[in-house]
Amino acid sequence: MKDEVPTTEERVANLKGMGSSRKRVEDVRFTQGRGNYVDDIKLDGMLFGDFVRSPYAHARVTTIHTEEAMKVPGVLAVITAADLEPLGLHWMPTLAGDKQMVLADGKVLFQGQEVAFVVATDRYAAADGVEAVEVDYEELPVVVDPFKAMEPDAPVLREDLEGQTEGAHGPRRHHNHIFTWEQGDKDATEAVMAEADVVAEEMIYYHRTHPSPLETCGSVASMDKVTGKLTLWGTFQAPHAIRTVVSLISGIAEHNIRVISPDIGGGFGNKVGAYAGYVCSVVASIVTGKPVKWVEDRMENLMSTAFARDYWMQGKIAATKEGKITGLWCHTTADHGGFDACADPTKFPAGFMNICTGSYDIPTAYLAVDGVYTNKAPGGVAYRCSFRVTEAAYFIERMIEVLAIKLNMDAAELRRINFIKKEQFPYNSALGWEYDSGDYHTAWDKALNAVGYDDLRAEQAQQLEDFKAGKTRRLMGIGLTHFTEIVGAGPVKNCDILGLGMFDSCEIRIHPTGSAIARLGTISQGQGHATTFAQIIASEIGIPADDITLEEGDTDTAPYGLGTYGSRSTPVAGAATAMAGRKIKAKAQMIAAYLLEVHDDDVEFDVDRFVVKGAPERFKTMKEIAFAAYNQAIPGVEPGLEAVSYYDPPNMTYPFGAYICVLDIDVDTGEAEVRKFYALDDCGTRINPMIIEGQVHGGLTEALAIAMGQEIAYDEMGNNKSATLMDFFIPTSWETPNYETDHTTTPSPHHPIGAKGVGESPNVGGVPCFSNAVHDAFRPFGLTQSHMPHDHWRIWKTANGLGLHS
Ligand code: MCN
Ligand code: CUM
C-alpha cells in the first residue's frame, strides 16, 4: 500500500504560507456584493448630512442665511462655524501641525471649502437644504501660483496666522510661507557645483493630481446618549489615530469611542487625514441624538479631499566629464493649498523627499523645501506616494536624463556607473538615510537584457532616420527608471504622527481546535491583508492560512496601530505578525516538549509540528499542541495560546525597481502608445507573488494616468477645472497597456522575514518611466524638459514647438 504520510512539500503546500500565490480570500465577498462599505451602514433613525460649499477660492463669508433651508421638509439643522465655535470645533488640527477650518470661519480659502452642514432625514432632503442655504460672499484676490504667493504684496491668505513668525516646522518668512525644511550640506554642495566639469540644471514640475478612489470618503457617527458611547464608522486608513484625535478634540474619553473602518473601496492615501465631514457627522449625532451619515460625491472628493504632489523642484546635478555624479542640489517650492494638511511624520514636513539622491552614490547633496499657502484644496501626501518619494524619484530620474543629454551619454550607462554598489549596503546617503539592502546592478542588467535594450536603441535610431527621411511620422521613446523606495515608517525615535510613535501591532489567538484569529493595527483598502498576513502566520506557526481569520479596523478589538499608508503594513505590521507568531511558537515548543516528555531544547519546529531532534517519528502537530494548551494542566505554563506584538522597526526598508517603457509617439496627433512596459520589482522576501503582481499592475496604471493625462488644474480665479471624471482622466482597460512583471529578491536584513513594502513602488517608479519615454522620443530634437501630464495636446505642442510640424 502507498505510504499515506504527506511529504514535507505537501505539508508546506497545505499551509499556503509565504511565497504561495494564495487566492484572495476577501474576493468571495467582494465579487458577490457582500462587501460592507460605509455607505452600506444603515442604522435606525439615521440622518444624513451634506455640505454647503464655497463657489469661490478666496472670499469673505459675511452672512449665512439658513431660514429658507430650515423650511425644507426633512431638514433638521443647519450647522455653521458659529455653532461649532462654543464647542471649540470650528477648527481642527491637521496631521502637519497646522489647523484647518471645519466650517468657514469668516472666510474661505479654496473652491469647494465646507461652509455649512445641513442635517436632514435623508440624502435628498439634505441636498434640497444645501440648495436653500444662501451665503453672502465678498470676493478676495486669488493666488493659485505658489511663487506669486511668496511675493511681498501677495494677499494674506491665512489671517489667523497673521504676525506669526514661527510655524509648526520652524520660522515663517512671509505671510503665505509655511515652513522651510533643509537637509544635507549646502556649502559643500555649492562648492561641488562651482568646481564641477559639468552641471545640468532644470526645473522639474510634478503637477497636482488626486487619487480619486472608487469609493469616496464618508463616515457614520452614532452617539448613544444612554451608554455615552460614540461609534464612528468611516473610510479611515488609520482608525486608531482617528480615535485618539476624536477623543482629544471632543473631550470624549477614548474608551467611550469606538472607531470602525469597514471595507474600504480604495484609499491610496486619500483617506489618511481628518475631514470636516467626520467632525460634522459626530457633532450632528451628539446634537440630534441620532446616527448621522456623511458621504461625499465624486466632485466633492476631487475638489476638497487630499490632493497629491504639486511640487516645483529646481535641480542642479554635477558630474565629471566621464559621468560620475559629484553632487545634487534641489530647491522645492511645495504648494500646500489653503491649509497644511499634509499627512507626514511630524519631523518630515516634506515627507521623505530627502531620498531624492535615489539609487545613486552621490557624495554631496543639499535639499531645501519651502511649503507655501495658496487658494487651493489642502492635502499633499496621497496617491501611492510613500511620503513624497514619488516626487523625489521623479526629480532624480528626470535629472539623470537631463544630465545624460548634457554629457551626450546613454542614460542606462550613466545610471549604471553611478549606482550604489551591492557591497556598499547598508549605505548612508548624503541626505541622511541608511539604505538597508540593495543589488541595483543585478536588477538593472536583468531589466536591460529582458527588453533587449541594445536592439531597442538600434531600432529607435533606424526609426529616427526614417522620420527624418519622411518615411514615418512616428517617433520611438525608451523610458528608463531605477528607483529606490523608502517604506515602513518607522522607527518610533524618528517617526510619529501627532506624537504617536509609528510602531504597529498584531495579536494572534489560537483556538483549541487549531484554527486562529489574528488582529492588526493596520487596515486593508484593497491590498489583500486578510490573505497575506494569514500567510505569514501560516509559515511562522504551521497552521494553514485557510484556518486563520484576519481582522483589522475595529479599535475595540484590534491592538493599537498607526494604520495603512506609506506601504508600511508589511514592513511594520508584517514584522509584528511574524514576531507574535514566534511568541506563540516558543510557547508551543514548551507544550510540545512536555507532551513528548523531553527537554524544551530537544524538540525542533518542522513546518506544522514540533519533532524530537533525531527522532522525526516522534512529534506533536500544531493542532495537537493547540488543543493541549486548553486541555492539559502543564506545569509552569499558563493555559491558552495567544500572543501580541508591538513592533518598532529598527529602520525603514528600501525596496527598489528597474522599469523600462517603450512608447510610440504620433507627432501629428500627439498620441502616445505604450508598446512595452517592463517592471522589475525587488521588495525583499515575497509573501504572495500574485498579490504583488496585482499591486504592481494597479500602481502602474495609476502611474500611466498621472504621467499621461491626470491633473487637478485651476484657472486664475481658483476654479477647479477637473472636478469631474469627464475632465479628470481615469484609464480604462482601453488605455491600459500590457505589463511584464519581473523580480529580484534582496531581503531586508533587519525585518524578521526579510520583507519590504511594494504597494507604492509601481507609482514611484512608473511615473518617471512613462515621462522619460516621452522625453526620450524628442531628445534628438533638443527637448530636455516638458511638464506632465503628457496628454495628446501637450505632446502635440511639444512636437510643434520643436518644429516637427513644418
Ligand atoms: N506584499 C507581499 N510581499 C511583500 C510586500 C507586500 O506579498 N514583500 C503584499 C502585502 O502583504 C499586502 C500588499 O502586498 O497584501 C501591499 O503591501 P505593502 O506594500 O506593505 O502596502 P500596505 O499594505 O501598507 O498598503 C499601502 C499601500 C499604499 S500606501 C497605497 S497609497 C496603496 C497601495 O498600498 N493603496 C491601495 N495599494 C493599494 N491597493 C489597493 N487595492 N487599494 C489601495 O487603496
Ligand atoms: Cu502616500 S499614499 Mo499611501 O501612503 O496611503
Side-chain angles (χ1 to χ4, degrees):
M1 215 182 88
K2 193 178 167 291
D3 194 351
E4 296 284 311
V5 179
T7 63
T8 302
E9 291 72 37
E10 283 166 347
R11 287 193 285 127
V12 169
N14 182 46
L15 293 180
K16 297 190 193 162
M18 283 193 284
S20 112
S21 282
R22 182 184 187 220
K23 283 199 177 148
R24 285 167 43 107
V25 294
E26 39 282 86
D27 290 350
V28 177
R29 280 189 302 118
F30 292 158
T31 55
Q32 304 197 21
R34 298 292 294 275
N36 181 40
Y37 299 90
V38 168
D39 205 25
D40 292 321
I41 290 158
K42 295 186 171 80
L43 304 174
D44 266 358
M46 190 172 74
L47 307 175
F48 195 91
D50 201 355
F51 283 110
V52 176
R53 292 177 182 275
S54 170
Y56 298 107
H58 195 198
R60 219 166 281 295
V61 178
T62 50
T63 323
I64 304 174
H65 306 274
T66 61
E67 312 76 34
E68 290 304 313
M70 288 302 292
K71 291 182 200 155
V72 172
V75 170
L76 302 175
V78 181
I79 299 171
T80 65
D83 303 309
L84 296 181
E85 189 171 358
L87 308 167
L89 291 175
H90 55 318
W91 288 72
M92 62 181 174
T94 72
L95 297 180
D98 195 2
K99 56 184 180 142
Q100 177 175 351
M101 290 176 212
V102 173
L103 292 171
D105 182 24
K107 71 188 287 195
V108 287
L109 287 160
F110 64 95
Q111 189 186 50
Q113 190 179 327
E114 299 81 0
V115 175
F117 191 65
V118 176
V119 185
T121 45
D122 60 60
R123 178 157 205 157
Y124 305 97
D128 290 344
V130 166
E131 286 300 311
V133 173
E134 278 223 13
V135 184
D136 299 333
Y137 295 98
E138 254 169 44
E139 284 185 71
L140 294 168
V142 171
V143 196
V144 288
D145 177 333
F147 297 98
K148 290 195 178 140
M150 289 296 285
E151 285 170 5
D153 56 351
V156 177
L157 303 188
R158 290 289 299 274
E159 286 163 357
D160 60 299
L161 299 178
E162 218 167 355
Q164 278 193 32
T165 51
E166 270 308 299
H169 309 285
R172 299 173 68 221
R173 55 185 166 75
H174 179 278
H175 51 262
N176 293 328
H177 182 235
I178 311 173
F179 63 83
T180 300
W181 186 56
E182 286 181 285
Q183 295 284 294
D185 190 332
K186 186 172 188 225
D187 294 342
T189 307
E190 278 167 3
V192 167
M193 296 292 150
E195 288 155 21
D197 294 349
V198 177
V199 178
E201 188 168 356
E202 198 55 72
M203 169 65 94
I204 312 289
Y205 177 48
Y206 197 147
H207 59 296
R208 181 177 275 238
T209 183
H210 193 287
S212 187
L214 201 57
E215 178 205 30
T216 59
C217 299
S219 58
V220 176
S222 179
M223 182 75 200
D224 185 328
K225 292 213 166 155
V226 177
T227 62
K229 186 142 183 162
L230 171 71
T231 308
L232 181 63
W233 291 263
T235 45
F236 309 130
Q237 289 183 232
H240 285 92
I242 290 280
R243 186 187 69 190
T244 302
V245 171
V246 170
S247 176
L248 289 173
I249 67 175
S250 70
I252 301 171
E254 203 165 349
H255 70 284
N256 275 333
I257 303 171
R258 179 179 186 184
V259 173
I260 302 175
S261 295
D263 285 327
I264 296 182
F268 304 106
N270 188 234
K271 296 168 179 172
V272 175
Y275 293 126
Y278 304 161
V279 178
C280 288
S281 63
V282 169
V283 172
S285 180
I286 293 172
V287 171
T288 61
K290 299 248 173 73
V292 177
K293 180 186 279 184
W294 162 75
V295 176
E296 62 185 10
D297 65 22
R298 181 61 55 192
M299 285 183 72
E300 295 181 291
N301 180 258
L302 282 167
M303 283 176 88
S304 68
T305 61
F307 74 92
R309 330 293 190 242
D310 219 345
Y311 260 30
W312 292 89
M313 301 171 284
Q314 182 71 43
K316 287 184 225 167
I317 188 164
T320 64
K321 290 191 295 294
E322 296 73 32
K324 183 75 194 80
I325 302 170
T326 51
L328 181 73
W329 180 96
C330 177
H331 180 270
T332 295
T333 301
D335 185 338
H336 284 240
F339 306 92
D340 186 11
C342 239
D344 290 309
T346 307
K347 290 175 197 153
F348 299 90
F352 301 157
M353 178 63 194
N354 59 325
I355 192 84
C356 65
T357 51
S359 309
Y360 311 102
D361 184 14
I362 303 181
T364 314
Y366 170 71
L367 165 75
V369 182
D370 277 304
V372 175
Y373 291 121
T374 60
N375 289 119
K376 299 184 194 170
V381 168
Y383 216 174
R384 283 183 138 126
C385 69
S386 298
F387 297 120
R388 304 285 192 183
V389 184
T390 37
E391 288 90 323
Y394 187 65
F395 171 74
I396 184 67
E397 289 303 302
R398 284 295 313 132
M399 288 307 291
I400 289 280
E401 296 282 320
V402 172
L403 179 63
I405 293 170
K406 188 122 191 175
L407 289 164
N408 196 21
M409 245 180 110
D410 174 73
E413 184 56 19
L414 178 60
R415 285 180 173 82
R416 189 204 311 275
I417 63 175
N418 285 291
F419 280 146
I420 300 162
K421 295 185 193 72
K422 190 178 166 186
E423 53 284 7
Q424 287 177 278
F425 291 93
Y427 171 82
N428 290 301
S429 79
L431 292 176
W433 297 114
E434 185 190 305
Y435 294 26
D436 62 345
S437 64
D439 183 354
Y440 301 164
H441 286 95
T442 299
W444 196 236
D445 289 342
K446 191 173 181 184
L448 296 180
N449 283 331
V451 299
Y453 182 68
D454 293 339
D455 292 346
L456 283 174
R457 283 291 180 206
E459 188 187 341
Q460 184 188 35
Q462 181 60 50
Q463 180 143 353
L464 181 62
E465 274 192 27
D466 290 350
F467 182 86
K468 288 182 175 164
K471 291 188 210 160
T472 176
R473 293 297 290 161
R474 286 163 86 84
L475 290 171
M476 181 175 157
I478 303 171
L480 304 174
T481 282
H482 191 289
F483 66 91
T484 294
E485 257 268 61
I486 166 171
V487 297
V492 168
K493 63 177 190 300
N494 298 334
C495 291
D496 72 273
I497 285 192
L498 291 177
L500 301 164
M502 294 181 74
F503 61 86
D504 227 288
S505 61
C506 174
E507 179 200 277
I508 305 173
R509 188 174 295 173
I510 314 289
H511 309 313
T513 52
S515 65
I517 182 162
R519 297 188 171 106
L520 281 77
T522 45
I523 173 73
S524 188
Q525 309 130 38
Q527 295 89 343
H529 291 175
T531 305
T532 52
F533 287 117
Q535 293 181 254
I536 299 178
I537 300 170
S539 291
E540 286 291 337
I541 65 178
I543 286 178
D546 289 345
D547 294 345
I548 303 166
T549 296
L550 198 118
E551 226 182 67
E552 296 178 307
D554 182 340
T555 59
D556 262 12
T557 57
Y560 204 104
L562 271 285
T564 293
Y565 40 83
S567 289
R568 66 186 294 281
S569 304
T570 303
V572 193
T577 305
M579 297 311 271
R582 286 172 197 183
K583 288 184 187 174
I584 292 204
K585 198 153 80 180
K587 183 167 176 185
Q589 180 166 1
M590 291 195 275
I591 298 171
Y594 174 81
L595 298 174
L596 291 160
E597 298 181 341
V598 295
H599 188 270
D600 288 0
D601 294 340
D602 292 333
V603 292
E604 62 188 353
F605 187 69
D606 175 35
V607 185
D608 55 0
R609 63 194 58 183
F610 275 96
V611 301
V612 175
K613 284 182 188 162
E617 71 289 355
R618 294 191 60 212
F619 62 83
K620 287 290 168 192
T621 64
M622 284 305 294
K623 220 175 160 69
E624 292 169 314
I625 294 166
F627 195 71
Y630 290 88
N631 158 270
Q632 303 231 354
I634 302 170
V637 178
E638 285 179 16
L641 192 54
E642 58 183 79
V644 57
S645 167
Y646 287 83
Y647 189 82
D648 176 10
N651 189 3
M652 280 180 259
T653 67
Y654 296 72
F656 58 94
Y659 290 2
I660 299 173
C661 170
V662 183
L663 270 184
D664 292 302
I665 287 180
D666 184 319
V667 167
D668 295 322
T669 63
E671 277 171 289
E673 197 178 314
V674 179
R675 188 200 303 181
K676 186 185 205 49
F677 199 103
Y678 169 91
L680 178 152
D681 272 280
D682 191 319
C683 56
T685 305
R686 288 148 46 94
I687 299 160
N688 184 322
M690 183 194 67
I691 294 230
I692 292 172
E693 196 179 5
Q695 286 291 308
V696 172
H697 280 208
L700 289 177
T701 303
E702 292 183 328
L704 170 88
I706 295 169
M708 307 308 283
Q710 268 181 7
E711 181 176 25
I712 294 287
Y714 291 88
D715 67 13
E716 312 87 86
M717 302 296 292
N719 293 307
N720 186 324
K721 298 196 288 179
S722 42
T724 78
L725 296 187
M726 289 292 287
D727 306 296
F728 190 75
F729 169 53
I730 301 278
T732 65
S733 59
W734 180 253
E735 291 90 359
T736 303
N738 184 49
Y739 303 116
E740 288 168 49
T741 57
D742 204 347
H743 68 278
T744 53
T745 302
T746 312
S748 166
H750 62 78
H751 187 283
I753 58 170
K756 304 179 179 187
V758 77
E760 303 192 302
S761 295
N763 204 330
V764 169
V767 173
C769 193
F770 286 112
S771 181
N772 282 348
V774 173
H775 285 92
D776 184 66
F778 292 113
R779 175 175 166 172
F781 304 97
L783 179 73
T784 48
Q785 177 63 15
S786 65
H787 293 330
M788 292 190 289
H790 307 296
D791 53 26
H792 303 168
W793 162 237
R794 281 197 179 82
I795 291 179
W796 184 91
K797 272 211 313 198
T798 297
N800 195 262
L802 296 171
L804 301 183
H805 293 151
S806 48

